[in-house]
Amino acid sequence: MIPGHKNLTLRYTFFVLIMALLAIAVIVKAGIIMFAERQYWKDVADRFVRENVIVFPTRGNIISSDGKLMASSLPEFRIYMDFKAGGVKKDTMLMNHLQEICEGLHRIFPDQSAAEFRRTILKGRKAGSRNYLLYPKRISYIEYKEVKKLPVFSLSRYRSGLHELAYNQRKKPFGSLAMRTLGDLYPDTALGAKNGLELTYDKYLKGEVGITHRQKVRNQYLNIVDKAPVDGCDLITTIDVDMQDIAEKALVDQLTNLEAEAGVAIVMEVKTGEVKANVNMTRAGDGKYYEMRNLAVSNLMEPGSTFKTASIMVAMEDGYITPDYEVDTEKGIVNMHGSRMRDWNWYKGGYGVIDVTKILEVSSNIGVSKIIDHFYGDNPQKFIDGLKRMSIDTPLELGFTGEASPRILGPKERYFAKTTLPWMSIGYETQIPPIYILNFYNAIANDGKMVKPKFVKAITKDGDIIKDFPTETVNEQICSEKTLEQIRAILKSVVANGLAKPAGSKLFSVSGKTGTAQISQGKAGYKSGGTKHLVSFCGYFPSESPMYSCYVAIQAPKASPSGGVQAGSVFSKIAERVYAKHLFFDLAQAKDSTSIMIPDTKNGLKSEITYILNELDIDCNEPGDEIVWCKTANGSNSVQLSELNTNEKSVPNVRGMGAKDAVFLLEERGLRVRISGMGKVVSQNIPPGSTVRKGQTITLTLRQ
């Protein structure tokens, strides 16, 4: 045995143990620096010279055509506390003002009590943390400025210990409205845009980054700007917020009623091609509808009967048919090159001999396919050329990610068979995105001139237009004036006399065409897993002097499919509400100067009623100051107000009130309110004066 071996082993073991403890200490300290003290050391680093620090610009705003902010970059913050900053002096001030600080934080963030803030601060102080999160959520710039006004926190970050982590967050004031059209940014905004207008016009919106460095000047470190950041430009879109809201509500209500899978609604200004509304809704797992994809520009679907208009126009333009040309549709079922083709009423015996106008009014598959097969069966390319003359397949290149272009088979292409032409003529064997169908009908409304749909009007910087987007023409004249005159008369009759009656309006005339198509499941065919349908309506209004064109499509409704009833009714609601925006009456012409106009006044809160009446310069009596809720009665020259009994233990009489006041008054008494209709309350299912039972549901019926 080596002399002193035990001593050597002991010393070696002791040395290894010391080294291991040092290694552990280094790892622990590194972890503390990396995580617990990360913000502190970043702040320390900020005090010294830093070269080429990137300063990100503010991203430009996206603004609606009516001047409303649709997307904007706003700062958000997380607030932290360095309890070791400022030394004993700061710590003493913090404890002296602790109650005041906690109450102030509770006032700014009411979801957390003053006692909870007190526990948070004391816990961080006890731990001696340099980067302790004071509030778990991100806060707005306004909230941050309010926090900075509190005692101690109003001092500089190195004296108070309060510091922040800033985020540049993209906000959409109107929530999901036109969300897929506007597009999104990546969570890390420095990575830029993902889709929509945000991506298409990213180079204008993102601006240019700046560069700074820190330099010591007279014993102070200053941020020296080497290159100032250039903020992004603003994007003025063609979207009208009110029209978007109108279209979205009308579509979502119908989708919900039909339990459909998805739907699209697009509104376009006829002369300019400006897209005023673009709604793309898909049902999610929770049964609600959200904008997930821009279906209007990316969804390749067989258009169905809306395509029949194009087929008939080709035959008219080539001089083969007129609106009076007759076709024998037989008993609603015919053999078309070995395959059966049916009209929707085949079980009733079909339509027999009908003319072209009637063919489109009743959307006869047999009528259209017989015409096209008869005149173009030996030369399908001539029919395809006729479609191309009308630019229905011309790529629009709108600039959206995932944008699709029409696919129309030619006779020399694979899978073009004898049955292709007749089925193509009625909207199968082709795939066309919704925006292309709308653009075709818009050209019919626009006296034959096809313009390119546009989503952006201008790009501005500091209020000045730096780039304008004029209306682009795709095709100066898609057909002759004669064909145009004939097809416009037919489309008007389709709504007035045909299957598209639900799309019409009593206020103005509407022109358009319905569509009902089976949805192909690819190689699985049309009936795999049950037959699904796409119902649609495309048209324009008013017929005589068209202002807007509109396309509505609903995918896989859980009801007997009908383009007129299901999609046409949505079109009608959109058209009437959009048209109402443009009704301007000269009241001076309508008002009798010898009479006093007293408007219909709803029951409600006395302060609001009297304020409105005073603003309109309408006389009313002044009930006592103790009266809060009033009944109204119109006199010949004034409005009479009287007290409305609102006993807290009984159900109040809310008849004659608007929804807002009625709901407030009833919910204040613990009742649950269900509303049906619009306008003012005309009935309530629990009689006034009944004893209030909290949690009971009361149904209110409203009418205009």
Side-chain angles (χ1 to χ4, degrees), residues 246-507:
I246 288 168
E248 181 172 311
K249 187 177 188 311
L251 180 65
V252 170
D253 285 349
Q254 185 72 307
L255 292 175
T256 304
N257 290 337
L258 299 173
E259 299 180 40
E261 290 182 1
V264 174
I266 321 165
V267 179
M268 191 158 78
E269 195 170 72
V270 169
K271 297 297 181 185
T272 64
E274 292 184 3
V275 177
K276 294 298 180 182
N278 182 28
V279 184
N280 304 272
M281 290 293 172
T282 304
R283 188 176 62 194
D286 60 2
K288 296 181 180 179
Y289 293 89
Y290 304 94
E291 289 225 341
M292 299 182 185
R293 291 175 53 219
N294 194 346
L295 301 172
V297 301
S298 65
N299 207 23
L300 275 171
M301 297 293 290
E302 291 175 309
S305 298
T306 54
F307 195 78
K308 291 173 182 174
T309 302
S311 299
I312 292 298
M313 285 178 67
V314 171
M316 282 181 169
E317 190 70 0
D318 287 340
Y320 293 134
I321 63 172
T322 65
D324 299 326
Y325 181 85
E326 292 184 337
V327 178
D328 185 4
T329 63
E330 303 178 31
K331 294 183 178 181
I333 303 178
V334 298
N335 186 305
M336 193 67 69
H337 302 293
S339 295
R340 279 189 174 186
M341 181 173 286
R342 290 184 173 94
D343 279 339
W344 74 271
N345 74 332
W346 63 272
Y347 60 93
K348 295 181 179 180
Y351 293 109
V353 178
I354 53 177
D355 62 22
V356 169
T357 299
K358 189 70 175 179
I359 285 171
L360 287 187
E361 284 179 358
V362 299
S363 197
S364 170
N365 293 333
I366 295 171
V368 175
S369 60
K370 269 195 169 185
I371 289 172
I372 301 306
D373 191 60
H374 174 68
F375 291 110
Y376 299 96
D378 295 331
N379 187 8
Q381 187 61 50
K382 187 174 182 180
F383 176 71
I384 304 299
D385 292 341
L387 293 174
K388 292 181 180 295
R389 277 200 311 271
M390 296 189 294
S391 301
I392 198 168
D393 68 333
T394 301
L396 296 174
E397 298 178 354
L398 301 172
F400 289 101
T401 303
E403 178 183 343
S405 294
R407 297 175 184 173
I408 298 177
L409 284 176
K412 295 181 181 179
E413 295 182 55
R414 192 179 180 188
Y415 303 121
F416 196 98
K418 272 285 186 182
T419 55
T420 301
L421 185 65
W423 259 266
M424 178 187 290
S425 69
I426 61 172
Y428 291 96
E429 305 278 352
T430 61
Q431 291 185 313
I432 303 178
I435 194 78
Y436 284 79
I437 294 293
L438 175 62
N439 203 41
F440 172 68
Y441 278 81
N442 192 80
I444 296 172
N446 194 25
D447 298 324
K449 183 178 182 179
M450 182 178 284
V451 295
K452 180 178 176 178
K454 66 175 179 177
F455 291 82
V456 175
K457 297 175 74 171
I459 296 170
T460 65
K461 180 73 173 176
D462 300 325
D464 297 324
I465 295 176
I466 63 170
K467 186 176 177 61
D468 194 16
F469 293 89
T471 299
E472 296 181 39
T473 301
V474 178
N475 189 334
E476 280 289 349
Q477 199 69 31
I478 63 169
C479 65
S480 66
E481 290 186 12
K482 181 180 178 182
T483 299
L484 189 66
E485 183 182 345
Q486 291 173 339
I487 200 66
R488 286 180 68 159
I490 292 174
L491 292 178
K492 184 176 179 180
S493 183
V494 168
V495 178
N497 307 308
L499 297 178
K501 281 183 181 179
S505 170
K506 295 178 180 178
L507 305 175

Side-chain angles (χ1 to χ4, degrees), residues 138-150:
R138 291 186 185 183
I139 65 175
S140 69
Y141 177 74
I142 294 174
E143 290 170 329
Y144 171 71
K145 296 301 286 185
E146 288 297 312
V147 171
K148 288 289 289 180
K149 292 178 182 177
L150 297 176

Side-chain angles (χ1 to χ4, degrees), residues 93-139:
M93 286 192 298
L94 180 66
M95 297 310 296
N96 289 341
H97 293 280
L98 184 59
Q99 188 61 29
E100 192 177 347
I101 291 171
C102 293
E103 288 176 356
L105 289 171
H106 168 62
R107 185 182 69 254
I108 300 167
F109 311 111
D111 61 320
Q112 202 159 305
S113 67
E116 287 175 309
F117 279 114
R118 182 184 180 87
R119 285 195 295 271
T120 297
I121 292 173
L122 291 177
K123 184 178 178 181
R125 178 175 177 267
K126 182 179 179 180
S129 175
R130 288 190 172 278
N131 195 44
Y132 198 80
L133 186 64
L134 288 182
Y135 184 65
K137 301 176 184 176
R138 291 186 185 183
I139 65 175

Side-chain angles (χ1 to χ4, degrees), residues 507-524:
L507 305 175
F508 50 86
S509 56
V510 171
S511 299
K513 180 71 184 72
T514 59
T516 304
Q518 292 184 24
I519 299 174
S520 171
Q521 311 296 319
K523 292 182 179 179

Side-chain angles (χ1 to χ4, degrees), residues 21-158:
L21 290 173
L22 283 172
I24 292 170
V26 169
I27 292 170
V28 170
K29 184 62 177 176
I32 292 171
I33 292 172
M34 288 173 65
F35 300 104
E37 299 180 354
R38 179 178 177 226
Q39 188 63 39
Y40 169 76
W41 289 111
K42 284 181 69 177
D43 294 340
V44 170
D46 285 341
R47 302 178 191 179
F48 298 96
V49 177
R50 292 190 300 169
E51 299 291 341
N52 297 333
V53 177
I54 293 176
V55 180
F56 291 100
T58 300
R59 191 174 180 85
N61 300 319
I62 299 180
I63 302 168
S64 69
S65 64
D66 48 342
K68 294 172 183 173
L69 194 63
M70 300 192 77
S72 182
S73 293
L74 298 174
E76 288 187 342
F77 303 88
R78 286 192 188 275
I79 49 174
Y80 298 84
M81 192 70 181
D82 177 0
F83 288 96
K84 291 188 177 180
V88 177
K89 183 178 179 181
K90 190 283 303 280
D91 189 61
T92 303
M93 286 192 298
L94 180 66
M95 297 310 296
N96 289 341
H97 293 280
L98 184 59
Q99 188 61 29
E100 192 177 347
I101 291 171
C102 293
E103 288 176 356
L105 289 171
H106 168 62
R107 185 182 69 254
I108 300 167
F109 311 111
D111 61 320
Q112 202 159 305
S113 67
E116 287 175 309
F117 279 114
R118 182 184 180 87
R119 285 195 295 271
T120 297
I121 292 173
L122 291 177
K123 184 178 178 181
R125 178 175 177 267
K126 182 179 179 180
S129 175
R130 288 190 172 278
N131 195 44
Y132 198 80
L133 186 64
L134 288 182
Y135 184 65
K137 301 176 184 176
R138 291 186 185 183
I139 65 175
S140 69
Y141 177 74
I142 294 174
E143 290 170 329
Y144 171 71
K145 296 301 286 185
E146 288 297 312
V147 171
K148 288 289 289 180
K149 292 178 182 177
L150 297 176
V152 182
F153 293 171
S154 60
L155 302 173
S156 69
R157 64 186 298 173
Y158 301 113

